[in-house]
Amino acid sequence: MYIDTHVHLNADQYDEDVDEVITRALDAGVSKMVVIGFDRKTINRAMELTERYPFIYAVVGWHPVDAIDCTEEDLKWIESLAGHSKVIGIGETGLDYHWDKSPKDVQQEVFRKQIQLAKKVDLPIIIHNRDATADVVRILKEEKAETTGGIMHCFAGSVETAKECIAMNFMISLGGPVTFKNAKTPKEVATEIPLDKLLIETDAPYLAPHPYRGKRNEPVYVKLVAEEIARLKGLPIEAIAKATTENALKIFNINE
C-alpha cells in the first residue's frame, strides 16, 4: 500500500473526472491521499474532499507565490480549520523566488507566521522551496521549526541540505522528478537518505513521472516514484511501500 503525501485533487484539472482519478489510485494500492489547500479556493475544495472520502486528508496553508494576498483573517481561518479531525498539517508554505508575484520580504513574513501557527496548533509544516534554499533553511532554524517538524515537499536540494533538514526534524519527500533520466541530484538524495526519513508524493496534477512526463499527473503514479527509489536503493518495492507508508502515518499522526 502507498500514501500519496502531497496531491492537488482540488485543482481545476480534475473538475471532470476526480472520482475516476481517485478510483484508479485506490485500485493500484494507494490507500490514502493528502490533499493540499494553499488559498481560499483550494482549501475549501480540499475540505470538501475530506468529507466525501474517508481516506483523504487535508493540509491547509498559504502558498508563497500568493503570499501578497494573504491576510490576518486568512491565517485565523487556517488556524480554525486546524482543529478539524481530517486536517493533518499546515502548508504548503515556504519561499518561491522563481516567480515574482509576491516580494521576498512578504513571502518571508507569511512563511514565519505559518511556522508559528503550526507550532501553536502542533501540526507538521509542509515546505515549498523553489530557488530559495538558503533563506528557507535559515528561517526554519530561526523560528525553531524543529519543535513541530514537517516535510520538505518535492525536495530538489542536495544531499547535504537534506541532512540539514532531517536534523531539524523534517522528512524528505520525493516526487516525479526522481524518475527523470537527467535528475542527478534527486537520485543521489534517494540513494543516500535513510529510508526512515523518506516520503513519496506526486504533486499531481504537476510533475508527472517518467514515462508520463509533461502529461497530467495522478496519484496512481506515486507507485512509479516508489519503484525508482527501490531501484536506486537496491531494495524490493514492498520495502519502500511499507517504510514510506509508516513514515507518513507517523509524521501526520494518522491512526489507522
Side-chain angles (χ1 to χ4, degrees):
M1 304 298 270
Y2 306 90
I3 296 180
D4 187 349
T5 61
H6 195 111
V7 59
H8 299 280
L9 291 170
N10 45 358
D12 293 343
Q13 288 92 326
Y14 299 116
D15 281 354
E16 302 300 320
D17 64 345
V18 68
D19 295 321
E20 291 91 336
V21 168
I22 291 169
T23 298
R24 278 195 289 275
L26 289 174
D27 289 345
V30 183
S31 60
K32 290 180 173 57
M33 295 161 239
V34 182
V35 176
I36 313 299
F38 55 79
D39 59 17
R40 284 267 173 179
K41 177 181 175 181
T42 59
I43 289 171
N44 278 320
R45 284 187 167 192
M47 297 306 297
E48 289 168 5
L49 285 165
T50 68
E51 300 294 341
R52 282 168 54 192
Y53 296 99
F55 48 83
I56 287 181
Y57 296 81
V59 165
V60 297
W62 210 268
H63 200 285
V65 170
D66 300 314
I68 197 166
D69 301 322
C70 185
T71 66
E72 288 299 321
E73 183 182 348
D74 292 323
L75 292 172
K76 288 178 181 175
W77 178 55
I78 290 167
E79 183 177 346
S80 71
L81 290 174
H84 191 287
S85 62
K86 296 292 286 294
V87 172
I88 56 175
I90 300 297
E92 61 187 277
T93 182
L95 302 174
D96 191 316
Y97 292 170
H98 179 77
W99 305 106
D100 60 2
K101 176 183 176 182
S102 296
K104 291 180 181 179
D105 60 328
V106 174
Q107 289 191 41
Q108 292 180 20
E109 180 184 2
V110 173
F111 183 25
R112 288 183 188 275
K113 286 181 177 178
Q114 288 183 86
I115 296 171
Q116 293 160 13
L117 193 161
K119 290 165 67 176
K120 183 177 180 181
V121 299
D122 194 25
L123 287 175
I125 188 162
I126 285 65
I127 305 298
H128 172 104
N129 168 27
R130 189 168 186 187
D131 301 339
T133 299
D135 282 348
V136 166
V137 171
R138 174 178 58 83
I139 289 171
L140 288 173
K141 288 180 177 177
E142 289 175 357
E143 294 294 334
K144 296 181 171 52
E146 70 275 3
T147 57
T148 58
I151 299 169
M152 305 307 291
H153 142 65
C154 208
F155 187 79
S158 66
V159 171
E160 290 73 25
T161 300
K163 290 178 178 177
E164 200 171 1
C165 294
I166 288 169
M168 289 190 289
N169 199 23
F170 280 78
M171 287 192 175
I172 305 301
S173 185
L174 298 175
V178 77
T179 70
F180 299 167
K181 292 179 180 178
N182 60 349
K184 181 171 177 278
T185 304
K187 291 182 191 299
E188 289 175 351
V189 169
T191 303
E192 296 292 330
I193 296 306
L195 191 48
D196 66 346
K197 302 299 181 184
L198 286 178
L199 297 169
I200 53 176
E201 64 168 270
T202 58
D203 200 22
Y206 318 107
L207 296 175
H210 176 79
Y212 303 101
R213 189 174 182 178
K215 299 179 180 179
R216 186 185 74 167
N217 200 0
E218 294 189 15
V220 67
Y221 298 150
V222 77
K223 185 176 180 180
L224 298 175
V225 176
E227 287 174 349
E228 178 63 7
I229 295 172
R231 185 188 71 81
L232 291 164
K233 285 189 169 297
L235 293 170
I237 182 65
E238 293 81 8
I240 305 302
K242 182 175 186 290
T244 56
T245 294
E246 289 175 352
N247 294 344
L249 296 174
K250 180 180 178 182
I251 189 71
F252 285 125
N253 197 27
I254 297 173
N255 298 309
E256 285 194 297

